[in-house]
Amino acid sequence: MPGTYRVGVIGCGFFAPNHLNSWNELGVEIAAVCDLDEAKAKAAAERFKAARWFTDAATMLHEARPDFVDIITTMPSHRPLVALCARERLPVIVQKPFAPTYADCVAMVDTCKAAGVALMVHENFRFQAPLRRVREVLDRGVIGTPLWCRISFRTGYDIKTGQPYLFNEERFIVLDLGIHVLDIARFYLGEADSVFARHQRVDPRVKGEDMATIMLGHKNGATSIVDFTYESRKRPDLFPQTLVTIEGTKGAIDLGPGFQLGVTANGKLTVENAASPLRSWTSEPWHVAQDSVYHTQAHWLARLSEGREPETSGADNLKTYALAEAAYGSAATGQAVKPVES
Ligand SMILES: NC(=O)c1ccc[n+]([C@@H]2O[C@H](COP(=O)([O-])OP(=O)(O)OC[C@H]3O[C@@H](n4cnc5c(N)ncnc54)[C@H](O)[C@@H]3O)[C@@H](O)[C@H]2O)c1
């Protein structure tokens, strides 16, 4: 019964309103919010009707005793905060990117497993309505066996003003955005055993790469191209839309601009509108991303109440993270890299 759950939220920054609005809409009681910055914690408690606010996560967990925890901080804090939740035997959701290193990710999965608590990475792209719809068409089998896929996210939208920590990331767009797009490649075509990547840095103010093109060889023989940048000058700028083309033995799927979904089956093209609906708290153009937060959290609640592992569990996200690691390895060496298997 989702309505009976109580959540403790850690991190009340830029992205948190999407989580807090979703918890409110899902009928989850916000038992408490926490931020190192007292003003942010207080403001979030007031705006989203949290019963209490704190500036220390351990104190919040002891005093508010939520049923589960939602961590919406940046990645350096994820491992200690997840370890804290595991010690308190509390199921926990943690935002992407999972952690700064693969070893940190493995440690969090192991810690939660040993404590017997559920761990989900808030990997929300696969919960975007249009991207989910593509998966449904694949499941219908009308395009036959997928052979080739391109997943593309290209924008020039300024995401760095709202998230200034991104300027300093040594490993930037592959972990920040690519991690989502690589997850979609796995979602559609399954695991990959070969990764070849080229990275570019366009904005001189950032430390890491801000343009990447990655070719994945999937174990089932399919090939995918995953490309993304925050430095596209193309107009119209489609932020935050993800474009997808999948060609199969019998047909093709094409998710194009404006969420127009073309499906070719039996030589015939049909087109539908696969846009996300607007919610009371979402607005264009980011509604597709905001709506996916709602569905990610709804999925967590469903799996928590069923006692089943979420689709994007920590263990599952290790496989996506391994693709990102392999992309960095490939870009550095100019060679294709086999991702580590968990
Ligand atoms: N899934 C998505 O679509 C999406 C979109 C944007 C951001 N994100 C992710 O969300 C995470 C948060 O991003 P953001 O832009 O909101 O960051 P932010 O810096 O604006 O907010 C993070 C907040 O966490 C607080 N915090 C940090 N450590 C803490 C601790 N130990 N205890 C309590 N509070 C702590 C900070 O004071 C800050 O207010 C990042 O990992 C980012 O990549 C995801």
Side-chain angles (χ1 to χ4, degrees), residues 14 153-163 166-167 172-173 176-177 203 205-206 210 229-241 283-287 289-290:
F14 169 78
F153 188 114
R154 309 190 77 81
T155 183
Y157 182 82
D158 172 23
I159 50 100
K160 287 164 282 193
T161 299
Q163 300 169 91
L166 295 174
F167 283 108
F172 175 20
I173 201 171
D176 183 59
L177 172 65
D203 181 348
R205 300 170 303 160
V206 300
D210 53 11
T229 184
Y230 289 134
E231 295 301 331
S232 173
R233 309 287 175 247
K234 199 172 125 179
R235 294 292 181 272
D237 192 314
L238 296 175
F239 179 83
Q241 297 179 39
S283 52
E284 294 184 2
W286 13 84
H287 61 303
Q290 293 173 310

Side-chain angles (χ1 to χ4, degrees), residues 9-259:
V9 169
I10 307 177
C12 304
F14 169 78
F15 201 66
N18 298 309
H19 291 233
L20 292 158
N21 272 313
S22 295
W23 292 130
N24 276 334
E25 188 177 340
L26 286 160
V28 171
E29 183 186 334
I30 303 172
V33 295
C34 172
D35 199 291
L36 297 173
D37 181 333
E38 181 177 318
K40 286 190 190 175
K42 262 188 190 172
E46 200 168 300
R47 179 172 165 202
F48 298 102
K49 302 180 182 57
R52 306 176 68 179
W53 59 268
F54 295 84
T55 54
D56 177 69
T59 310
M60 175 178 88
L61 300 191
H62 283 140
E63 295 192 10
R65 294 310 305 170
D67 297 318
F68 65 87
V69 180
D70 187 16
I71 299 173
I72 325 167
T73 61
T74 50
M75 60 179 173
S77 55
H78 289 177
R79 184 171 170 180
L81 289 172
V82 166
L84 173 70
C85 296
R87 277 199 298 280
E88 297 293 331
R89 299 285 190 273
L90 288 172
V92 54
I93 313 170
V94 62
Q95 252 296 349
K96 54 55 66 176
F98 202 177
T101 70
Y102 185 75
D104 288 329
C105 303
V106 172
M108 284 186 272
V109 170
D110 289 348
T111 302
C112 288
K113 192 172 174 195
V117 299
L119 167 65
M120 179 169 102
V121 176
H122 184 107
E123 176 42 76
N124 52 320
F125 267 41
R126 64 164 75 190
F127 293 100
Q128 288 185 13
L131 297 177
R132 203 83 190 168
R133 183 80 186 121
V134 170
R135 181 66 251 179
E136 286 167 15
V137 176
L138 280 174
D139 289 341
R140 277 181 10 223
V142 292
I143 73 155
T145 305
L147 301 169
W148 184 92
C149 170
R150 179 182 177 195
I151 310 169
S152 184
F153 188 114
R154 309 190 77 81
T155 183
Y157 182 82
D158 172 23
I159 50 100
K160 287 164 282 193
T161 299
Q163 300 169 91
Y165 53 89
L166 295 174
F167 283 108
N168 294 319
E169 298 293 354
E170 303 277 353
R171 306 201 302 170
F172 175 20
I173 201 171
V174 174
L175 278 188
D176 183 59
L177 172 65
I179 202 89
H180 290 302
V181 195
L182 290 165
D183 189 66
I184 294 297
R186 287 185 55 232
F187 185 45
Y188 293 158
L189 297 179
E191 304 310 332
D193 55 9
S194 161
V195 177
F196 180 78
R198 281 180 64 90
H199 296 173
Q200 291 151 275
R201 184 173 72 104
V202 183
D203 181 348
R205 300 170 303 160
V206 300
K207 285 197 181 148
E209 77 292 345
D210 53 11
M211 188 177 279
T213 308
I214 304 173
M215 185 167 94
L216 302 173
H218 292 267
K219 289 184 178 175
N220 60 8
T223 300
S224 60
I225 303 287
V226 167
D227 62 282
F228 43 90
T229 184
Y230 289 134
E231 295 301 331
S232 173
R233 309 287 175 247
K234 199 172 125 179
R235 294 292 181 272
D237 192 314
L238 296 175
F239 179 83
Q241 297 179 39
T242 306
L243 306 183
V244 178
T245 301
I246 305 176
E247 299 198 9
T249 49
K250 294 199 288 188
I253 303 173
D254 194 37
L255 177 63
F259 310 110

Side-chain angles (χ1 to χ4, degrees), residues 258-316:
F259 310 110
Q260 294 301 296
L261 180 65
V263 179
T264 304
N266 299 319
K268 195 166 156 266
L269 171 68
T270 52
V271 180
E272 64 176 271
N273 182 346
S276 309
L278 275 170
R279 300 183 173 279
S280 61
W281 52 273
T282 68
S283 52
E284 294 184 2
W286 13 84
H287 61 303
V288 64
Q290 293 173 310
D291 182 70
S292 71
V293 172
Y294 173 90
H295 287 291
T296 307
Q297 295 179 184
H299 175 76
W300 164 260
L301 293 177
R303 291 294 167 98
L304 192 64
S305 60
E306 294 161 9
R308 289 172 62 202
E309 182 167 310
E311 265 185 39
T312 59
S313 65
D316 179 84

